[in-house]
Amino acid sequence: MSGRPRGVRAARIAVAAVLPGELALATCLVTGVRPPGWALMGAEALAGAVLLLEAWVLRSLYVAARARGADRRAARRAAVQEAVPVTVRRLLLHELRALASLGRWARRGTHGVRPGDLAAAYTGPQTAMMYGLLFVMVVETVGLAFLIPWPAVHRVILILDLYGVVLVLALHAACVTRPHVVRPDGSLRIRYGALFDLDVPPDAVASVRIDRRYPGGGLITLSEGGVLDLVVGGQTSVTLELSRPLPFTRPLGATEEAHTIRFHADDPRALVSALRQPA
């Protein structure tokens, strides 16, 4: 431990505490919940400070690894593994995938959809809310430009606000470009943007039906009996009964098992028909 640069423990704790909060705020925006402006600004400022600390610690770890004889790639990998917890690395990966979805969205492309597959969109219940929230965020950003008199503070807040707008748009773009997928063999891929991805093989499908529900709770909720709700815009429209429990991974890396999956599809009839009639 004596060779570890100062601040590593503090950086790990800080980034592990702040980035899940950032994800929670982004998820609130995607699902239509608008946090107070002061909460968004405070979270953005705190995240910025933590990222500066993380950058300083990463640089120190990189320099130490290079001094021990590691090449550049190995030094970068060692620095990231030492300073950044696994859950935070997963969050950053989700964020990078979401940002990459913006380019795919602009090209009208999709991820993981092959010829012969049925792509089932699920963004209908959240699209209007998303654009409404983005409009409010842009108006708020412009308003702060006139209210904040200090140029330096104004520039920092402007950058953070603009990044927040881009990130929320990227989360929605990831949902548009990563639809559910029904394959010709009867397998199903259930997704929510870059945050959730579950493959259901054909032999695990016991039954499927159209079943519109409005469950409470968050985006991903596992209730008693192994019922998994993947909620979009406060609703689900398809219930999938499994012949055997399937493990799934939450956005932060925890693994659990589901016996029944309820999720949303904009056209549930087409998805259910495709699952019932595999080629």
Side-chain angles (χ1 to χ4, degrees), residues 93-124:
L93 181 60
H94 294 325
E95 187 170 321
L96 291 173
R97 286 174 175 169
L99 292 171
S101 298
L102 288 171
R104 187 177 291 115
W105 192 22
R107 300 191 305 271
R108 298 181 180 273
T110 53
H111 175 275
V113 181
R114 299 177 299 218
D117 292 345
L118 172 71
Y122 51 84
T123 57

Side-chain angles (χ1 to χ4, degrees), residues 84-230:
V84 184
V86 174
T87 54
V88 176
R89 295 203 297 270
R90 288 185 61 87
L91 285 176
L92 292 174
L93 181 60
H94 294 325
E95 187 170 321
L96 291 173
R97 286 174 175 169
L99 292 171
S101 298
L102 288 171
R104 187 177 291 115
W105 192 22
R107 300 191 305 271
R108 298 181 180 273
T110 53
H111 175 275
V113 181
R114 299 177 299 218
D117 292 345
L118 172 71
Y122 51 84
T123 57
Q126 74 179 27
T127 300
M129 291 188 301
M130 282 295 305
Y131 288 129
L133 287 168
L134 286 169
F135 175 76
V136 171
M137 292 177 71
V138 171
V139 170
E140 183 179 81
T141 300
V142 174
L144 288 174
F146 291 98
L147 292 176
I148 298 177
W150 308 285
V153 175
H154 170 256
R155 283 193 291 270
V156 172
I157 296 298
L158 177 62
I159 292 172
L160 293 174
D161 278 346
L162 290 177
Y163 181 72
V165 169
V166 171
L167 181 57
V168 172
L169 191 61
L171 289 171
H172 182 62
C175 291
V176 174
T177 59
R178 293 170 180 261
H180 304 313
V181 180
V182 181
R183 299 191 177 95
D185 64 356
S187 61
L188 170 66
R189 188 175 185 181
I190 303 172
R191 301 193 280 190
Y192 183 84
L195 297 176
F196 185 86
D197 197 335
L198 173 63
D199 279 308
V200 182
D203 64 327
V205 178
S207 66
V208 61
R209 66 184 184 273
I210 300 172
D211 182 20
R212 195 169 297 278
R213 294 173 179 261
Y214 300 90
L219 171 67
I220 300 171
T221 304
L222 184 67
S223 56
E224 293 184 5
V227 178
L228 170 63
D229 284 310
L230 183 63

Side-chain angles (χ1 to χ4, degrees), residues 31-94:
T31 55
V33 179
R34 174 65 176 172
W38 60 265
L40 288 173
M41 291 178 59
E44 290 166 353
L46 183 59
V50 169
L51 289 176
L52 287 175
L53 172 63
E54 189 73 13
W56 176 75
V57 170
L58 283 171
R59 182 182 181 279
S60 300
L61 290 168
Y62 174 80
V63 171
R66 290 285 286 164
R68 293 192 298 269
D71 60 31
R72 292 182 179 180
R73 184 174 182 178
R76 286 195 297 267
R77 184 185 302 113
V80 170
Q81 291 177 347
E82 178 76 10
V84 184
V86 174
T87 54
V88 176
R89 295 203 297 270
R90 288 185 61 87
L91 285 176
L92 292 174
L93 181 60
H94 294 325

